[in-house]
Each structure stands twice: as C-alpha cells, then as structure tokens.
Amino acid sequence: METGTISIDELGGGFDLYRTLESGQSYLWQRSDGEMYGGTPAPDAWYTTVIGGSAGSGDVIRVRTHDGCLEWESTTDAEPIVRRLLRLDDDLEAIVAAGPDDPLLREAYEAHRGMRLVDDPAFGCLISFICSAQMRVSRIHTMVTTLAREYGDEVAFDGETYHAFPTPEQLATATEADLRDLGLGYRAPYVVRTAEMVANGEAHPEAARDLEYEDAREYLTRFVGVGDKVADCVLLFSLGFDEAVPLDTWIKSAVEEYYPDCDRGSYAATSRALRDRLGGEYAGYAQTYVFHHLRTGE
C-alpha cells in the first residue's frame, strides 16, 4: 500500500472534501460509511474511487481529511492523481477574488469555502449525467454505483473489494432490459447506445477537449440522451471547461430571481449571458457554488 498526506494549509483557498465530492459534481466515489449523498458530513470517513485499468488492474484511491491534512491510500503512488481528480493545484483563493462582486455569489463562496471542482474520467462523468435527468443526487449515485457493481472490474485492496466504473466496452454488453431492471428507467437506452458509440469508435467525450467551448458542447450532444445541460456538466466536471455554466433547475431559478436580465429565451444565449455575469473564465466555479448553495439551503 502507498500512502501520503497533503497539507490543506498549502492549498490556495483551502479544501473541503465533503463539499467537493458531495455537491452534485461527481458520482464516481464511495463513502466508507455508505452514506454518500445522505446530506451529513462524516469527518473521519474515507472516500474511494477506482481509476483506469482493466481486468482487475485499476488503481484504488482512498482519501480523507484528518488533522489539517488530506490523507490518501492507494495501490500506486497516487499524489499526482489525487491532485488532478480533486483539483488541488487550483488557486481557489485567486479564483474567488477574480469573481464578480455579486451578493449571491459572495454568500455562496463564504458558506461553502474550500469546495473545488472535480476532474472526473470523461466516460464515467458522461454516463453519470445521462442518468441524472429528473433525479435526486442520492438516486443518481445509486444508479452509478449499481452500474459499477454489475459491469465494472473488481479490484482488491487492503482486504476489501472495489468496483471500477465499467469501460465503454463492458457497459455496451448491457441490454436496455438489463438496465431497466437495475432501475435506470427511460435512461436505459440512452446509456446503452452511448456506451456503444464510444466502444465502437463512433465518438468519444474526450474528443471535445480540443474544441472551442460552444463547439465542444455541440459535439457532446451527439450522444444519445445528452442535451445542452448534460453536455455542460461533462465539460465542467471532466474536460476542463471552467467557463461552462450548466442551466439546471436550480440555476434557472437563480436566473429568474437574481439575474432576470440574463434570460435570453434560449439555452445558448442565456448560458452565454450568465457566463459573462459570473465572471467568464471561471464562471463554472461560480455556477457550482450557487447551485450547491441553493440546493442545500445552507
């Protein structure tokens, strides 16, 4: 077992592991007490994910915060991976300072200090947000966990067995009926067809990374079950487009109440206007804070 620690004091703007991983950005982690997305922090709990590999060779990564440090345990020297997945090298203090002087945003930043964006693997992120339509965050997490258990590789670590999120090829073996039986409902054919598209080389979410932002969003909508909002989530939480502003129900309500002048009648135009209002380059950070603030009522 490889282990290490990262001092939170050395991270610009601090770090809040609970808010980062349970703010609706990622569904690819598990909490050791089984209560992820239960709405209550667990200061001593480990969060675990499996990255890369196939045929049982993926790397298990566990993280928790303790005594002012982020501790990690893994099958590999995982510090670079942990820093990337949790975006620990972002200067969060500078990002917050560069944001607009906006009352709602200022309130959200203060209430959820230390929350960072995640950098999830693109395929797992894509499937997660296809599953997200009309679903509570806890139910989305359950769906994604079930897909990993049923179709992903088992990886043994420290006496426990973990499941990697399935590869496109593994998930493409599922049938619509199989996934409906697992509780995916009308999302089942979307997941199967999207997995098939990636497995057979027809398209891959990573291909959007090198495009201009709005072209990247358009590219991702070729996947079955992916509209503009889901595409923006994938761009923001796995492909490095920090300017992406997903217009979900909570953000639409924020537009209505706080930013009515940003309502331009279409997704693209409203998103563009809100992106400008929230600071442009890091508007996705601002959006994530506002989303979490409104959703939790904290």
Side-chain angles (χ1 to χ4, degrees):
M1 179 192 296
E2 301 277 351
T3 65
T5 61
I6 301 169
S7 172
I8 293 175
D9 285 343
E10 296 175 2
L11 304 176
F15 178 59
D16 188 313
L17 180 62
Y18 166 70
R19 287 190 170 100
T20 297
L21 290 182
E22 299 196 44
S23 55
Q25 302 182 60
S26 178
Y27 301 95
L28 301 176
W29 295 77
Q30 303 295 323
R31 205 168 89 176
S32 57
D33 64 356
E35 296 297 323
M36 188 156 182
Y37 280 115
T40 304
D44 295 323
W46 289 93
Y47 289 89
T48 306
T49 193
V50 181
I51 296 295
S54 60
S57 64
D59 287 315
V60 175
I61 297 172
R62 294 198 299 226
V63 295
R64 71 172 179 176
T65 51
H66 184 68
D67 284 344
C69 290
L70 178 67
E71 298 182 345
W72 60 264
E73 300 178 346
S74 180
T75 49
T76 188
D77 182 3
E79 180 165 331
I81 303 172
V82 170
R83 286 184 175 275
R84 174 177 56 82
L85 294 175
L86 302 177
R87 296 190 53 168
L88 300 182
D89 294 329
D90 287 0
D91 189 341
L92 186 54
E93 186 174 356
I95 290 170
V96 171
D101 185 14
D102 176 87
L104 176 62
L105 182 55
R106 190 164 59 244
E107 183 179 291
Y109 276 143
E110 182 63 29
H112 308 290
R113 187 182 300 273
M115 184 172 72
R116 292 169 181 264
L117 292 182
V118 299
D119 185 5
D120 272 350
F123 179 67
C125 182
L126 175 64
I127 297 299
S128 296
F129 282 97
I130 288 175
C131 290
S132 72
Q134 306 299 316
M135 277 291 162
R136 304 184 312 276
V137 290
S138 59
R139 184 71 182 104
I140 302 164
H141 185 257
T142 297
M143 286 183 180
V144 174
T145 299
T146 300
L147 290 177
R149 185 188 68 235
E150 295 295 323
Y151 295 98
D153 289 322
E154 292 186 352
V155 184
F157 175 62
D158 193 29
E160 301 286 341
T161 299
Y162 299 94
H163 292 85
F165 191 78
T167 65
E169 292 76 15
Q170 289 170 327
L171 195 50
T173 65
T175 67
E176 179 181 337
D178 292 336
L179 298 189
R180 286 186 182 276
D181 286 345
L182 293 178
L184 268 69
Y186 70 85
R187 305 155 196 81
Y190 304 159
V191 169
V192 171
R193 179 62 186 126
T194 291
E196 290 172 346
M197 290 174 70
V198 180
N200 67 26
E202 186 177 340
H204 197 292
E206 282 285 352
R209 191 182 293 274
D210 297 326
L211 302 176
E212 293 297 320
Y213 164 56
E214 292 196 4
D215 292 336
R217 185 173 64 199
E218 180 64 26
Y219 175 86
L220 291 178
T221 61
R222 70 183 57 197
F223 292 104
V224 181
V226 176
D228 289 329
K229 192 270 286 189
V230 168
D232 268 336
C233 289
V234 177
L235 293 175
L236 182 59
F237 303 134
S238 72
L239 295 174
F241 287 84
D242 292 351
E243 68 270 44
V245 178
L247 299 182
D248 75 316
T249 300
W250 291 104
I251 298 302
K252 288 178 179 177
S253 70
V255 169
E256 182 177 348
E257 183 172 353
Y258 298 96
Y259 313 112
D261 57 310
C262 291
D263 187 352
R264 305 296 170 84
S266 72
Y267 186 100
T270 300
S271 177
R272 194 176 302 123
L274 189 59
R275 188 163 71 249
D276 290 342
R277 173 64 65 86
L278 294 180
E281 181 181 4
Y282 294 111
Y285 250 108
Q287 181 272 352
T288 302
Y289 270 82
V290 170
F291 166 84
H292 186 60
H293 190 53
L294 295 177
R295 184 180 70 82
T296 60
E298 297 176 357

